[in-house]
């Protein structure tokens, strides 16, 4: 791309940190893993006017090659210092409290993103790399035992009965998100993508959506401790299985933690949520 881009998201972090001097310095650089560029990284901030962050990494190299942009942006977003160190504790036994059983919680869900060393991230991953991730995960899922054991359902060639069941279960991810499209994450759709879930449908993994892996634990009710315990065991089991099959680990940076395509997810990559029942809320609306 020639010339400094017109960044439509004027109030985004991209607009703040992708200055013309940095653009001139970095715009011709390409990453080794997937040939990713700064132009591709900031595509959403250039095309849309509603971005807060507006940048994606195409591989782990992106965070190094374009560090002059990513480092200050990440530090501002996450409120961390330049010399910060990532810490993580997945010991479920340390969770002392739980949701009040009387609370109107219908279900609890906790997820993390994970990426495997040696492959690009979704915005930059090549077709062969994406298929390689899926092939590796098919083998890794087959090694899961006990309550984590289950079935992998590839999106390519999925029959209608399976597809409808996954829709009814609210498990299926679909194409069409404008950000993911512009960021390059829906290239070659639906090839190399799929969903794994255990027999009880309480442990799931999305393959090659926004991240290489989205590992999810969920169940009805508000037992956060049980959901987190299953998640922690599942992450370890998947990681151990990937290591056994390929010799590769999850991407982990000493400063920024687990590597994701979106810098807002760096760190633990964890998000927890509950669905609650609020009778009459829709009727009362803003008056509540």
């Amino acid at each position: 791309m020639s010339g400094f881009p017109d960044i439509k998201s004027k109030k985004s972090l991209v607009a703040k940190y992708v200055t013309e001097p940095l653009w001139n310095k970095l715009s011709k650089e390409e990453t080794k893993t997937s040939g990713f560029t700064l132009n591709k990284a900031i595509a959403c901030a250039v095309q849309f006017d509603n971005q807060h962050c507006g940048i994606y990494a195409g591989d782990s190299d992106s965070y190094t090659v374009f560090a002059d942009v990513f480092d200050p942006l990440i530090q501002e977003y996450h409120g961390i210092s330049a010399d910060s160190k990532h810490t993580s504790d997945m010991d479920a036994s340390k969770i002392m409290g739980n949701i009040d059983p009387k609370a109107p919680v219908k279900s609890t869900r906790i997820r993390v993103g994970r990426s495997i060393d040696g492959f690009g991230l979704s915005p930059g991953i090549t077709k062969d790399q994406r298929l390689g991730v899926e092939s590796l995960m098919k083998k890794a899922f087959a090694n899961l035992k006990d309550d984590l054991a289950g079935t992998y359902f590839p999106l390519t060639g999925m029959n209608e009965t399976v597809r409808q069941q996954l829709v009814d279960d609210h498990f299926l991810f679909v194409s069409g998100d404008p950000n993911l499209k512009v960021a390059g994450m829906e290239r070659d759709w639906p090839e190399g993508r799929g969903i794994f879930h255990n027999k009880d449908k309480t442990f799931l993994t999305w393959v090659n959506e926004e991240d290489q892996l989205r590992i999810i634990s969920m169940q009805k009710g508000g037992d956060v401790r049980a959901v987190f315990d299953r998640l922690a065991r599942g992450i370890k089991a998947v990681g151990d299985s990937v290591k056994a099959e390929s010799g590769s680990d999850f991407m982990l940076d000493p400063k920024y933690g687990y590597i994701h395509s979106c810098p807002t997810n760096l760190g633990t990559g964890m998000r927890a949520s509950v669905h609650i029942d609020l009778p009459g809320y829709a009727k009362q609306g803003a008056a509540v």
Side-chain angles (χ1 to χ4, degrees):
M1 181 176 180
S2 60
F4 186 60
D6 177 17
I7 299 171
K8 291 184 180 178
S9 290
K10 304 298 184 185
K11 297 181 179 180
S12 67
L13 293 175
V14 163
K16 181 175 182 178
Y17 290 111
V18 180
T19 62
E20 190 163 0
L22 278 183
W23 174 260
N24 293 334
K25 176 183 176 182
L26 299 173
S27 61
K28 295 182 180 179
E29 298 292 328
E30 289 190 4
T31 61
K32 183 178 180 180
T33 301
S34 64
F36 207 63
T37 64
L38 184 59
N39 181 39
K40 293 176 182 177
I42 65 170
C44 285
V46 171
Q47 181 151 336
F48 302 124
D49 62 4
N50 62 351
Q51 304 290 296
H52 171 62
C53 185
I55 192 168
Y56 288 98
D59 41 39
S60 61
D61 319 16
S62 298
Y63 288 107
T64 303
V65 175
F66 310 119
D68 289 344
V69 172
F70 273 110
D71 282 350
L73 184 153
I74 291 165
Q75 288 157 23
E76 176 172 336
Y77 182 87
H78 288 280
I80 59 176
S81 64
D83 60 353
S84 66
K85 299 294 181 184
H86 171 74
T87 60
S88 180
D89 188 346
M90 297 295 290
D91 185 351
S93 70
K94 294 181 180 178
I95 298 177
M96 304 308 295
N98 218 334
I99 294 175
D100 187 336
K102 297 178 182 177
V105 174
K106 306 298 287 185
S107 64
T108 302
R109 178 182 186 269
I110 311 176
R111 64 83 166 159
V112 299
R114 289 292 184 267
S115 307
I116 304 165
D117 273 331
F119 299 96
L121 304 175
S122 287
I125 193 170
T126 67
K127 181 177 180 179
D128 285 346
Q129 289 171 355
R130 189 186 303 109
L131 292 173
V133 169
E134 183 186 38
S135 176
L136 172 56
M137 292 313 303
K138 287 178 180 178
K139 297 174 184 176
F141 291 140
N143 295 331
L144 298 184
K145 307 295 183 185
D146 303 323
D147 65 322
L148 301 177
T151 305
Y152 177 71
F153 302 93
L155 266 60
T156 302
M158 182 179 288
N159 71 54
E160 180 57 26
T161 301
V162 171
R163 190 199 70 82
Q164 189 58 53
Q165 186 61 58
L166 290 170
V167 169
D168 293 344
D169 290 332
H170 305 288
F171 291 170
L172 191 67
F173 62 88
V174 297
S175 65
D177 183 287
N179 280 351
L180 300 192
K181 278 188 170 182
V182 169
M185 295 189 230
E186 294 198 356
R187 290 168 295 122
D188 310 309
W189 184 275
E191 202 167 20
R193 299 164 173 92
I195 300 168
F196 167 88
H197 68 69
N198 67 347
K199 295 181 181 65
D200 294 331
K201 299 182 179 180
T202 56
F203 180 70
L204 297 79
T205 303
W206 291 357
V207 177
N208 287 323
E209 193 235 10
E210 182 175 335
D211 286 303
Q212 289 179 18
L213 305 177
R214 282 282 172 91
I215 303 173
I216 305 164
S217 177
M218 59 191 294
Q219 68 185 51
K220 292 181 179 179
D223 193 344
V224 173
R225 191 181 304 160
V227 174
F228 185 85
D229 174 75
R230 185 187 308 107
L231 178 71
R233 290 187 293 108
I235 294 169
K236 185 178 187 309
V238 171
D240 288 348
S241 188
V242 166
K243 180 77 169 180
E245 290 291 339
S246 67
S248 297
D249 294 302
F250 291 144
M251 296 180 192
L252 179 62
D253 182 84
K255 179 188 292 186
Y256 294 139
Y258 289 98
I259 297 299
H260 298 71
S261 62
C262 183
T264 65
N265 284 322
L266 293 173
T268 62
M270 185 179 298
R271 179 174 296 173
S273 61
V274 295
H275 284 172
I276 59 175
D277 189 12
L278 297 174
Y281 180 83
K283 183 181 296 185
Q284 297 184 52
V288 175

